[in-house]
Amino acid sequence: MRILHLSSEASWRGGEQQIAYLVSQLTDLGVDPLVACKPASEFEAYCAKMAWKNFPLGMKNSVDFSSAIKLKRLCQSLSIDLIHAHSSHGHGTAFLAYLLKNNTPVILTRRVDFKVSRGWVSRCKYTFPKLRKVVCVSDAIRNIVNSATRRDELSTTIYDSINHEKFKSHIGGSFLRSKYNLSSSTTLIGNTSAIAPHKDYFTFVRTAEYYIQNFDNDVRFFVIGKGEQEAEIKSFVTDRGLEDSFIFTGFLKNIEQVLPSLDIFLMTSKTEGLGSSLIDAFAAKVPVVATRAGGIPELISHQKTGLLSDVGDFTDLAKNIQLLENNKPLTDQIVCDAYQKSLHFNTKAMALDYLKLYESILAER
């Protein structure tokens, strides 16, 4: 079985981590690691570190015919059985390769809960004969795909996964508290998402402002990551006079130490495919406050595995933070139930689900 994974992003975000988990587990199951990725990308460096076979493929956009030609040649020279596209640009490149008479079957993993475009090109990308399955990382995404394609049999749900082991020795740690010299009485609240529009850090800041003004000012809000809106969000924090209450750490690679040192994980997304960082928080035994965006309610049952608020409702988000602070029995119960739920999202189970899907598609050939 020769599966070629397409990783089209230059940076490292949640999607790239999921590809890494999947390819690693598939390798353990006897499937050769074969990856086509953007040159000079973080995933290319990761492939080199892991000694995985990787091939440069630009995938600059969904109409990159040069990359499509290269993909067709790769499929021929490597005798690829199946292309696994992990993003929109990878999907587009695989579609163009099909137009160039590449006969390799394709599956797509879709991780975003944006509506599928109704344009002609998008319709073609979701209906070309070699696209055998669209794997959605939540039922919320699957419903969106089914509504657009009206072909329920085209899609399936395979949830993202996490590595539980990396958190175990750091649960209850004090990495952030020590690094920034913060008192044990200060509440640490943070998010590890990219600073991007759909993560809605404006609501994150408004939540912080309301919480500080109405409940407690002995708190630090951590923005752990980077992204295209970083300068804008920093300015928003400054304009509201909240500089002393915010810490922007940039991208940190030691997330296994960073995440367990938070007191509360706050996710204010307005769209979210699933939110695998929430599962990380579950495994790190950090209680979660989040919005009801996309696939998040598939992970969080209100007052069972976390606390939920409507998208954009910063006052309710702040009140939920205060509820966790004031109700230790509820917080302890949420942490326990969330940790147990996280155990269902393990990397080996995810890889076995994909392997079963690969085998079923190849059996049809």
Side-chain angles (χ1 to χ4, degrees):
M1 183 184 298
R2 297 180 67 76
I3 313 297
L4 182 63
H5 298 270
L6 305 186
S7 173
S8 66
E9 302 304 309
S11 61
W12 187 282
R13 294 185 180 178
E16 287 64 54
Q17 182 62 73
Q18 292 302 314
I19 303 170
Y21 284 151
L22 176 59
V23 175
S24 180
Q25 286 290 340
L26 288 172
T27 302
D28 290 345
L29 293 168
V31 180
D32 283 345
L34 301 170
V35 179
C37 54
K38 189 179 289 292
S41 65
E42 292 192 32
F43 206 86
E44 183 183 62
Y46 186 80
C47 287
K49 174 184 173 183
M50 300 297 292
W52 293 344
K53 295 175 184 175
N54 65 95
F55 308 90
L57 198 64
M59 294 177 280
K60 297 175 183 177
N61 49 52
S62 294
V63 289
D64 185 351
F65 275 95
S66 174
S67 289
I69 293 168
K70 291 178 182 177
L71 177 58
K72 178 183 176 181
R73 290 172 179 167
L74 276 176
C75 289
Q76 292 171 340
S77 63
L78 299 173
S79 300
I80 296 300
D81 296 308
L82 181 67
I83 297 169
H84 188 165
H86 291 270
S87 67
S88 176
H89 287 175
H91 181 194
T93 302
F95 169 61
L96 294 179
Y98 160 75
L99 294 181
L100 297 172
K101 308 300 182 184
N102 185 40
N103 291 317
T104 309
V106 178
I107 72 166
L108 164 69
T109 293
R110 185 174 170 89
R111 293 189 166 88
V112 295
D113 64 339
F114 311 145
K115 288 184 178 180
V116 177
S117 170
R118 296 188 179 277
W120 178 80
V121 173
S122 182
R123 289 201 306 271
C124 291
K125 285 170 61 178
Y126 279 89
T127 56
F128 74 99
K130 291 300 176 181
L131 180 64
R132 299 300 173 82
K133 193 68 73 173
V134 178
V135 178
C136 305
V137 302
S138 67
D139 288 336
I141 296 175
R142 190 179 182 194
N143 291 336
I144 291 170
V145 171
N146 289 349
S147 176
T149 64
R150 303 194 183 281
R151 292 175 56 203
D152 291 3
E153 74 283 357
L154 178 66
S155 66
T156 189
T157 300
I158 298 178
Y159 288 106
D160 280 345
S161 64
I162 66 162
N163 176 5
H164 293 77
E165 294 300 318
K166 69 181 183 181
F167 294 112
K168 283 187 175 179
S169 63
H170 301 288
I171 289 173
S174 59
F175 175 82
L176 290 174
R177 208 174 292 277
S178 298
K179 180 177 176 63
Y180 294 98
N181 194 28
L182 298 171
S183 165
S184 59
S185 64
T186 302
T187 302
L188 309 189
I189 301 171
N191 191 337
T192 59
S193 302
I195 310 174
H198 68 285
K199 298 296 183 180
D200 194 8
Y201 271 99
F202 291 105
T203 292
F204 187 94
V205 176
R206 291 187 180 102
T207 301
E209 182 179 37
Y210 188 91
Y211 184 80
I212 291 166
Q213 290 175 348
N214 292 276
F215 300 120
D216 185 8
N217 61 9
D218 189 9
V219 61
R220 293 294 184 277
F221 286 84
F222 282 83
V223 178
I224 304 162
K226 297 184 71 64
E228 61 265 37
Q229 280 195 317
E230 184 172 352
E232 191 176 359
I233 297 301
K234 284 181 176 178
S235 294
F236 193 63
V237 168
T238 301
D239 291 344
R240 285 173 140 66
L242 298 172
E243 305 99 305
D244 292 341
S245 298
F246 266 79
I247 296 176
F248 288 79
T249 69
F251 180 76
L252 298 177
K253 292 185 177 181
N254 60 330
I255 198 66
E256 68 280 359
Q257 291 179 283
V258 173
L259 186 51
S261 64
L262 290 172
D263 295 309
I264 295 171
F265 189 88
L266 174 63
M267 178 175 278
T268 57
S269 300
K270 55 186 175 183
T271 66
E272 194 69 52
L274 179 65
S276 58
S277 58
L278 295 175
I279 313 173
D280 280 338
F282 290 177
K285 297 191 175 180
V286 178
V288 172
V289 172
T291 51
R292 294 183 177 89
I296 290 176
E298 293 173 47
L299 298 176
I300 297 180
S301 299
H302 186 59
Q303 295 196 352
K304 292 183 179 179
T305 55
L307 297 179
L308 288 172
S309 301
D310 290 338
V311 170
D313 191 346
F314 61 88
T315 59
D316 195 59
L317 287 161
K319 289 174 183 177
N320 278 336
I321 293 172
Q322 179 67 356
L323 179 59
L324 290 179
E325 286 287 274
N326 287 346
N327 192 334
K328 189 175 187 303
L330 175 63
T331 301
D332 290 346
Q333 168 258 305
I334 283 173
V335 167
C336 180
D337 289 353
Y339 181 80
Q340 290 301 314
K341 188 174 185 71
S342 76
L343 297 176
H344 298 288
F345 300 89
N346 65 82
T347 57
K348 185 172 182 180
M350 177 184 70
L352 287 170
D353 285 343
Y354 273 109
L355 187 61
K356 183 178 179 180
L357 176 62
Y358 297 158
E359 289 171 342
S360 68
I361 291 172
L362 296 181
E364 293 173 2
R365 296 182 70 188

